[in-house]
Amino acid sequence: MRRDKKQILSTRPVGEELIAEAARHNIVIDEIPFIETLASIDEASSKKIKRLSTEQIYAVFTSMNAVEAVRDLVSPEVDWKIFCLGPATKKLVVEIFGEESIIS
């Protein structure tokens, strides 16, 4: 019996592992990003983030984009306690700031 392939259009990257798994189930996933997010941090915000990176603070990251935006501005010794929304954001926070920085 012939099984028709299902087509899915993802507007954000889903990864090769998921694409391969879907293919095993006769599903084709096309990744075509529709939105590009670019960090835009003015000089005042940049200075504030750098200053805050030397302090013990509680930080809340609502997206991976926010984490990536501050990545190069914070000091290596950053001592933040971090809340984050979503598993992808948490994974990136762990990569950059370490598991011990996450507040459950």
Side-chain angles (χ1 to χ4, degrees), residues 32-99:
I32 303 174
F34 281 85
I35 299 172
E36 181 180 5
T37 305
L38 302 173
S40 176
I41 300 176
D42 62 23
E43 186 64 29
S45 296
S46 177
K47 285 180 181 179
K48 187 170 187 174
I49 292 166
K50 288 177 184 178
R51 180 182 54 77
L52 288 171
S53 78
T54 64
E55 300 176 15
Q56 285 186 323
I57 67 167
Y58 288 90
V60 179
F61 286 106
T62 59
S63 71
M64 292 173 47
N65 294 323
V67 178
E68 291 170 346
V70 302
R71 173 195 329 232
D72 296 328
L73 298 175
V74 297
S75 71
E77 300 83 29
V78 68
D79 187 22
W80 290 356
K81 301 300 179 198
I82 301 172
F83 296 89
C84 48
L85 302 178
T89 302
K90 180 179 179 179
K91 181 179 177 186
L92 187 57
V93 167
V94 168
E95 287 175 22
I96 295 171
F97 297 99
E99 183 77 40

Side-chain angles (χ1 to χ4, degrees), residues 10 12-25 27-33 91:
S10 176
R12 62 183 290 177
V14 294
E16 292 299 319
E17 188 175 312
L18 180 60
I19 291 172
E21 178 67 21
R24 287 190 286 277
H25 296 279
I27 300 169
V28 176
I29 299 177
D30 292 309
E31 294 177 339
I32 303 174
K91 181 179 177 186

